[in-house]
Amino acid sequence: MTLPPIGRALRTALLATLSLRLFNSLMAALIAWLVPVWITPGAPHDPHLLASLEQGPVLLRLFLAPWYRWDTIHYLDIAQQGYADPNNTIWPPLYPLLIRIGMFTGLPPLVSALLVSTLSTLGAVLLLYRLAEEEWGEEHATRTVLALVFFPTAFFLMAGYSEATFLLCALLSIRAARQRRWLLAGLSAAAAVLTRHQGIFLALPLLWEGLQFLRSLQSLPLRQRLRAAWPWLVGLSLPPLAMLSYGLYIRLFTQADWPWKTVSSGWNQHLGWPWEGILGNLRALLSGAPVGGGALFFNLSLALLCLVLLLLGARRLPCSYSLFGWALLLSVLVKVQNEGLLGATARYALIIFPIFFVLAFALKNRLARILYIASALGAQILLLAAFYWWAWVP
């Protein structure tokens, strides 16, 4: 029996999400069992909670402790204490709020965070498949999902990070915009802004799709065109309103600095030229940087991969996809560490979803699929191990 489109999409999304969850959970558990953490982490964390996880029952030590790392700790702090720490204001509230909702059901905070990420991944993969299927067909959609699931940093979709939730909101916004469902597109874009600041760039595809819509109405009387444009204008206004509202809340009610300023003052970053971090990473690698070499390599290589894929997709991607992809990549490249290096480019590449549509064209070749899966999966295991050992800040 042939499944209807939504049935095929849901089956693929379920299989991809469950496989990603199972593989990364088992791999992290295996790493924790074979080579437990041997250092006291210098990153902010709750030492009592970490000790209870690392020294607790085997299920906690193998299946939860590996995920209590880096940004997850800040999201859990926000979910439990709000913005008591001004440095945490760089992380918008939607993902911590969803964690909080899970806590209301009795789930421990870390379990709630992992559940939110898993469910968000399911929704994001479903929408990614549908977008690819509607544009290029079922086989291309399957390869697009494969490209995402095997991506070197795809394990972050399963971690207590906001990437999966952002992807879900962004994909929902763009799909709604292409279907001319302007209020849903605007609300989803606003939700993306309240998940990650890069959600503001969803205003670009909303603007483009709206202009194409208005062009199709040129034969109608002016009054009818204005009436049809009203929902689009409302939807288009929602992402900047969400950004402004969050900034005002942080500035007026928590007395902290504007979130976008805190990134520079509290997190060792500044706005630089798009090539500054690329050249900085290249120089550091060529000079044989002994510390953080893996992070330097993956940040540089995945930044260049995104650049190449977006260039190759210039004639194949719908314009709204390209606009969003280039805006996201530019926002990643200009966020430079004060040492002149790229930031978390390897992880941020996950949310530049148009690259997976382009990558799917290359994966049409069987040999290319085998090489991609083997190399990307090996990188994913390596980076997951480093993530667990507190050795690599993504």
Side-chain angles (χ1 to χ4, degrees), residues 43-265:
H45 67 283
D46 181 344
H48 300 293
L49 175 57
L50 182 61
S52 68
L53 292 172
E54 297 280 6
Q55 301 167 19
V58 65
L59 288 178
L60 292 182
R61 181 167 57 86
L62 297 183
F63 290 98
L64 274 187
W67 301 103
Y68 185 70
R69 296 292 185 274
W70 307 113
D71 288 8
T72 299
I73 297 165
H74 299 286
Y75 284 122
L76 297 182
D77 284 346
I78 298 169
Q80 296 174 90
Q81 304 172 25
Y83 292 106
D85 182 353
N87 282 332
N88 282 345
T89 58
I90 66 168
W91 287 286
L94 183 58
Y95 181 62
L97 178 61
L98 294 174
I99 297 173
R100 183 77 175 182
I101 291 172
M103 291 167 56
F104 285 146
T105 68
L107 292 175
L110 182 55
V111 174
S112 179
L114 298 181
L115 178 61
V116 170
S117 292
T118 303
L119 293 177
S120 295
T121 300
L122 175 61
V125 173
L126 176 61
L127 287 168
L128 187 73
Y129 183 100
R130 293 291 284 156
L131 281 171
E133 183 184 41
E134 290 161 1
E135 196 70 36
W136 298 285
E138 180 184 344
E139 290 186 5
H140 191 94
T142 302
R143 293 195 302 271
T144 299
V145 171
L146 182 147
L148 171 66
V149 169
F150 285 99
F151 198 70
T153 51
F155 66 90
F156 280 108
L157 297 174
M158 296 290 103
Y161 277 58
S162 64
E163 270 70 11
T165 303
F166 178 85
L167 258 184
L168 173 61
C169 295
L171 288 163
L172 182 58
S173 176
I174 287 186
R175 187 164 191 257
R178 289 178 65 78
Q179 294 175 339
R180 307 308 188 234
R181 300 163 68 186
W182 304 119
L183 293 180
L184 177 60
L187 287 170
S188 302
V193 170
L194 295 176
T195 305
R196 301 187 66 87
H197 297 307
Q198 294 97 325
I200 192 63
F201 297 118
L202 285 163
L204 294 175
L206 261 171
L207 177 63
W208 173 263
E209 295 292 344
L211 292 175
Q212 304 314 300
F213 171 66
L214 293 181
R215 184 176 298 175
S216 69
L217 302 179
Q218 285 182 348
S219 60
L220 296 179
L222 178 60
R223 180 175 295 181
Q224 292 186 28
R225 278 185 283 165
L226 291 174
R227 186 180 303 163
W230 180 245
W232 167 62
L233 291 172
V234 173
L236 185 61
S237 71
L238 294 179
L241 281 176
M243 182 77 129
L244 179 61
S245 298
Y246 174 63
L248 287 173
Y249 168 77
I250 292 301
R251 193 75 182 94
L252 300 179
F253 290 93
T254 71
Q255 302 302 309
D257 205 346
W258 298 102
W260 38 90
K261 287 188 176 181
T262 304
V263 172
S264 299
S265 62

Side-chain angles (χ1 to χ4, degrees), residues 14 42 49 89 111 166 177 203 208 271 281 330 340 362 366 381-383:
L14 280 169
L49 175 57
T89 58
V111 174
F166 178 85
W208 173 263
L271 290 178
N281 277 44
L330 183 62
R366 185 171 180 269
I381 294 170
L382 175 64
L383 295 177

